[in-house]
Amino acid sequence: MVSIVPNNIQIEDDRTGINVETLKRAFLDNLFYIQAKFPKISTKNDYYMALAYTVRDRLLNRWLQTTQTYLEKAPRTVAYLSAEFLMGPHLGNNLMNLGLYNVVKQAMEEFGLGLTDLLEQEEEPGLGNGGLGRLAACYIDSLATLEIPAIGYGIRYEYGIFDQEIKNGWQVEITDKWLRYGNPWEVPRPEAELEVKFGGHTENYTDEHGRYHVQWIPFKVVKGVPYDTPILGFQTNNANTLRLWKAEAPESFDFEAFNKGDYFGSVQEKSECENITKVLYPNDDSYQGKQLRLEQQFFFVSCSLQDMIRMMKAQNLTLERFHEHFAIQLNDTHPTIAVAELMRLLLDEHQFDWDKAWNITTKTFAYTNHTLLPEALERWSINMFGSSFPRHLQIIYEINLRFLDEVRIKFPDDGNRLRRMSIIDESGERYIRMAHLACVGSFAINGVAELHSELLKKTTLHDFYEMYPEKFTNVTNGVTPRRFMVLSNPRLANLITKKIGDSWVTNLDELRKLETFLYDSDFCKEFHQVKQDVKQDLANYIRTNYNITIDPNSLFDIQAKRIHEYKRQHLNALYIITLYNRIKANPNLDVTPRTFLFGGKAAPGYYMAKLIIKLINSIADVVNHDPDMRDRLKVIFLKDYNVKFAQRVYPAADLSEQISTAGKEASGTGNMKFSMNGALTIGTLDGANIEIREVVGEENFFLFGLTAEEVLQKKAAGYNPWDYYNSNPELKLAIDRISSGFFSHGDPNLFKPLLDSLLYRDQYLLLADYQSYIECQDRVSQAYRDREQWIRMSILNVARIGKFSSDRSIRDYVQNIWKVSALKVEVPEYSQSTN
Ligand code: HBZ
């Protein structure tokens, strides 16, 4: 293959060379020519930027070679549509993927700069809320590593998920100005901008052949500008693209006509256009029917579909084969308006007839569901939807009409079924049910863990399962071991590689080989030492940032995830209070010292979640200041839990809290990241916990609580939380401690909403699971005392976790859903010596 690097760039050129001397020269060059600084006046951020550009230069060849290869070969391509990509910092990941980590570290050291310091400087792109957004990030990592042609399409939010501060124990939200100092990893492509229409009305016309057509006359048009970020694979030349869309105002003639003579009005219109991609909605697992959110969804979906059509045209491919060229994955219902938009593009802009367009559309899309929580299912009021997307509303009505005819044929005389399945909810004010549209418009529907996929078929999507059983499948989530082991836990990664070689990084099942060393006392010692060292790192971090000293010999018990009642951080809190009460009652009690660490953001409008944060901080206040607790119990709420910080947290955990009410957590992915790093799990039979327990072995997993089925039975039988409160003295004491004002400076009202919700409703069955949980926690404390046995359980968790690599998940999608093939990219070699 011919090199596309300009031929006046030579081997060891400043932009490509990868030995220490060249890297140093390139770094100073970028500091000078990009940051316009010399060392004496440079800030840490200048150094970070200079290094980022130095690294970026070195990945461009792979990226552009990949683009060229895909353009030439026109392979079947995955388009992963997601309103969220929670990427985390890029620098370390790119260094690792380029194989430049160590040589760059040395180059920086020769300048007296610490690489870890520079890595810390990167402001992470927090373009997601939690699990769903991070899953998208893990998946594009694996797609590149597995050499699958793929594009990630999403939104370039100007403000990502808010930064969290804690003031007086309460969460305070701070705007995330992640672009403030520039983003060296993105390349704007203004030349590839597209137009997206909003509002207005439709008009019918008949063409010269007497064919009937519909035209959408929009109220406004917004420009979508793509910003591209390269996504490197590990140990491969393939580098895929993450293409995020930014909304801008057009300066078109039409647009000005709306604002004739009204300068301020037109500037206001401009900022209204740009509002579309201003900010990420900070809700996870709860839905808010805001028009702007709907507009965000349509905006990025329309840009992405038009982009795909444009690419096919550039490759001289006919749109009749759209579904052969692209497999589009819908990451939850957020991009589901794509079903209607692809229909519109084919019908109205490319003159396909309905049947042909529908055939293409339904062979293109596949839908991943991430939740069973009814409050999270998206539905848009017909009025709101129709006012922004009048043409799409017509198309959805037509899809529904034809769909209900199909249902009628398969299930005659079943009016209730028709009402239940209709894409339009007509039980009161009329709504569009996006999950129904996704099911009808997709050829595949999957849940994200085995239990979740089964429950989907049995409950939320039961009717659709009966209608289209062949569409349903499961793909259990996975996470990338590159970021969450190699990068975040180099000590552990090095130890593993020393024992079994490094092929585990791309073939995680190889970790099984570690089982050979289970009774090798030197290995066990080293393994333990790694954990202790990493815990010491976290302890140092906490001392520096919180001025609290924690003991690395205590059991690090960590619950890190979004705050939600179904995730039951307050059940964990009840156990802490129980331990506190026991020690107060018996100050000489022999307890296993524990450090309870929490991290996670609450949706700003979710009052109960915010109250849970306040409760944890209030308990921490009392516990950490009580001399009776010294060296036995510490509680810390770690603020602003994000990807960067998560990378410090997972490696340091002894115990991973995965304690959601069974049937509520679709999968969980933190559970996998903890386990990969040798934490043992205390968990319910929920989401992927079930599968984790299956592979690591039930003797290496702390199980408690009701099963999903028992939860349903209990509720059906008329669950009464008071029965548990009245019959369990430790539970009663723990709750009474809170309601007495003990943790709230005597104020009995502060936590009343939380306690009332537990005692009068307890939707998530905390009280029912309390006894089982504390008994299980007591078993954990006992087990931790047998150091050697604990280490072996921990090793087994690492050794058997291979299934939960996102590489396995992506292979599942590739084989069972997308039917795409890998396409290896060749890169003409420069001399790649690092010495
Ligand atoms: O998706 C999570 C599930 O709760 C978790 O169990 C699963 O492991 C993970 C990946 O499959 N769901 C989310 O994170 N959901 C959201 O963040 C969300 C964001 C915006 C919404 C709705 C949900 O409008």
Side-chain angles (χ1 to χ4, degrees), residues 84 129-133 135 281 283-288 293 297 332 334 368-371 376 378 448 477 566-567 664-669:
E84 304 189 4
N129 273 287
L132 172 150
L135 188 78
Y281 277 92
N283 307 304
D284 67 315
D285 284 326
S286 92
Y287 139 86
Q288 255 191 323
R293 165 80 170 164
Q297 297 182 348
D332 213 300
H334 315 149
T368 304
N369 173 289
H370 295 266
T371 186
E378 287 193 301
V448 289
N477 283 169
Y566 85 77
K567 296 179 190 280
K664 298 295 177 190
E665 189 70 272
S667 162
T669 43

Side-chain angles (χ1 to χ4, degrees), residues 110-125:
E110 293 187 14
F111 284 129
L113 297 170
L115 180 56
T116 26
D117 255 15
L118 296 178
L119 292 172
E120 199 45 45
Q121 197 55 39
E122 181 170 350
E123 186 102 45
E124 79 171 62

